């Protein structure tokens, strides 16, 4: 959740924020959330194609039988 992020800012000589400092664990959590959101977006895009699909379990079974 972004409400938990406690960033520190680096500013230029005019006080304009130019960079953010985050603890590594917060940065990694944010990156993971963005990756998860991207996965959902890609899934939704592929699902809209309405192409035939195979369940993962069926795929694994077919691979093992070869």
């Amino acid at each position: 959740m972004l409400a938990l992020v406690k960033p520190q800012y680096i500013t230029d000589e005019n006080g304009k924020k130019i960079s953010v400092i985050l603890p590594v664990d917060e940065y990694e959590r944010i990156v993971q959330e963005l990756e998860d959101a991207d996965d959902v977006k890609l899934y939704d895009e592929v699902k809209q194609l309405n192409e035939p699909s195979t369940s993962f379990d069926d795929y694994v079974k077919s691979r093992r039988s070869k």
Side-chain angles (χ1 to χ4, degrees):
M1 296 194 168
L2 291 178
L4 302 176
V5 175
K6 304 291 185 208
Q8 293 178 316
Y9 299 97
I10 298 174
T11 58
D12 65 13
E13 58 277 355
N14 298 318
K16 180 181 176 188
K17 295 176 185 175
I18 58 171
S19 295
V20 176
I21 300 172
L22 295 172
V24 171
D25 60 331
E26 288 185 25
Y27 168 78
E28 290 174 346
R29 182 180 52 77
I30 291 168
V31 168
Q32 184 62 53
E33 287 184 23
L34 291 171
E35 289 173 351
D36 291 348
D38 193 44
D39 289 345
V40 170
K41 179 182 173 191
L42 290 172
Y43 172 82
D44 290 343
E45 289 173 1
V46 169
K47 195 71 171 166
Q48 288 180 359
L49 298 175
N50 292 322
E51 294 184 359
S53 62
T54 303
S55 74
F56 181 73
D57 290 337
D58 289 343
Y59 171 76
V60 171
K61 287 176 188 174
S62 72
R63 293 291 297 171
R64 287 183 179 159
S65 67
K66 292 183 180 184

